[in-house]
Amino acid sequence: MMLVLIFSFISAGLFYASRVPVIQDDFGMMITGKVPSASNEDPGRLAHITFIMFTFTSPLLLAGCISTGMAILRWFERRE
């Protein structure tokens, strides 16, 4: 169960990373070996901020979920 939870956080992080245009350009350059052409589009600032915030907060969220689950399990064990 814990591995599924950890891998779901990792895949969510990769999903947000795939939406950041700068990271898409880097992956494209690694795969094809060609530098993508410069465009005048918005660099996807919101997607980049979301990815960074997810990266910083996901360990805290994971620890909070695990702590809450353990507290609930202990509470059920004390009731019996």
Side-chain angles (χ1 to χ4, degrees), residues 24-34:
Q24 288 176 351
D25 291 344
D26 287 344
F27 282 140
M29 190 173 61
M30 284 190 306
I31 293 171
T32 62
K34 298 177 184 176

Side-chain angles (χ1 to χ4, degrees), residues 2-43:
M2 183 63 69
L3 284 175
V4 171
L5 187 63
I6 291 170
F7 283 122
S8 68
F9 270 93
I10 291 171
S11 64
L14 290 174
F15 171 72
Y16 283 120
S18 70
R19 297 183 62 169
V20 177
V22 176
I23 295 176
Q24 288 176 351
D25 291 344
D26 287 344
F27 282 140
M29 190 173 61
M30 284 190 306
I31 293 171
T32 62
K34 298 177 184 176
V35 178
S37 62
S39 62
N40 294 332
E41 297 179 6
D42 179 56

Side-chain angles (χ1 to χ4, degrees), residues 45-64:
R45 189 83 173 142
L46 180 62
H48 200 187
I49 291 172
T50 303
F51 171 68
I52 290 172
M53 291 305 295
F54 179 80
T55 303
F56 286 141
T57 59
S58 62
L60 181 61
L61 292 172
L62 183 60

Side-chain angles (χ1 to χ4, degrees), residues 63-80:
C65 290
I66 292 171
S67 176
T68 302
M70 292 300 295
I72 291 171
L73 284 175
R74 284 190 206 122
W75 183 73
F76 278 125
E77 287 176 359
R78 264 187 288 176
R79 281 187 55 196
E80 295 175 355

